[in-house]
Amino acid sequence: MDLQRIEKILKKEPDEAAEELLKEVEKAYGEIPYILDFMKQSPELLVTKILYDNAIFREFKRLDLKTIELISIGVSAALRCEHCLKMHIRVARRLGVTKEEIFDAILIAGSLSNAAVLAEGTRAIDSEKLKDECEVCGIPEEREEG
């Protein structure tokens, strides 16, 4: 969306601008995502969210729509956002993405999520010295009972 178009939208009343943008979202996605429908109650926030999201998801041409949806599927799966995941799967299917490609995106997300858990956990272990651990070799020292 070019700056002149954005300027025209921003000159409209918030309710009118929100309705116009929601129609464009529905045209692009084939449906209106739940959160955007919910945000109709706050048109000023809705308009800015849609414009921001549009700038990221739809305006640059470095990634095609299928790739964007596969990334969205992977992130939604990793974040465990069931509603986002199901919506992005529906959008991807409308774009011709296969079930196997969707599954691959979910597998990649799962693998990275697993790696993130392992990396965070092992870094925490390494960063915390046990009180009774030998500074040189890391072997726990024996305590004298008494």
Side-chain angles (χ1 to χ4, degrees), residues 10 13 17 21 31 35 46 54 57 76 81 83-84 91 93 95 98-99 108 111 118-119 128-129 131 137:
L10 294 177
E13 289 298 314
L21 289 170
E31 62 186 273
I35 189 65
L46 175 64
N54 186 66
F57 288 104
S76 297
C81 181
H83 302 289
C84 293
V91 173
R93 295 297 290 193
L95 292 171
T98 67
K99 184 178 180 179
I108 291 167
S111 178
L118 293 172
E128 292 298 317
K129 292 285 184 193
K131 289 181 182 176
C137 67

Side-chain angles (χ1 to χ4, degrees), residues 82-141:
E82 179 183 355
H83 302 289
C84 293
L85 179 58
K86 288 180 177 181
M87 193 221 43
H88 285 291
I89 288 172
R90 289 192 301 272
V91 173
R93 295 297 290 193
R94 286 188 204 108
L95 292 171
V97 178
T98 67
K99 184 178 180 179
E100 293 77 18
E101 290 170 316
I102 291 169
F103 184 56
D104 289 348
I106 292 169
L107 285 173
I108 291 167
S111 178
L112 290 173
S113 294
N114 176 269
V117 168
L118 293 172
E120 184 68 19
T122 54
R123 281 187 176 92
I125 291 169
D126 280 347
S127 70
E128 292 298 317
K129 292 285 184 193
L130 297 175
K131 289 181 182 176
D132 296 330
E133 186 175 274
C134 173
E135 299 265 339
V136 176
C137 67
I139 297 174
E141 295 178 3

Side-chain angles (χ1 to χ4, degrees), residues 6-66:
I6 292 171
E7 188 177 322
K8 286 180 185 177
I9 289 169
L10 294 177
K11 287 182 179 178
K12 295 181 179 195
E13 289 298 314
D15 289 340
E16 185 182 349
E19 278 302 314
E20 182 179 327
L21 289 170
L22 283 173
K23 286 178 185 174
E24 289 187 28
V25 168
E26 187 171 21
K27 185 177 166 185
Y29 280 125
E31 62 186 273
I32 297 173
Y34 170 81
I35 189 65
L36 298 183
D37 189 52
F38 185 88
M39 289 179 73
K40 284 192 297 191
Q41 300 168 33
S42 304
E44 295 88 357
L45 293 173
L46 175 64
V47 168
T48 56
K49 175 162 179 43
I50 291 174
L51 291 175
Y52 176 76
D53 289 352
N54 186 66
I56 293 170
F57 288 104
R58 304 284 168 232
E59 289 304 312
F60 58 38
K61 304 301 180 201
R62 295 181 294 268
L63 298 175
D64 63 87
L65 294 176
K66 288 181 179 183

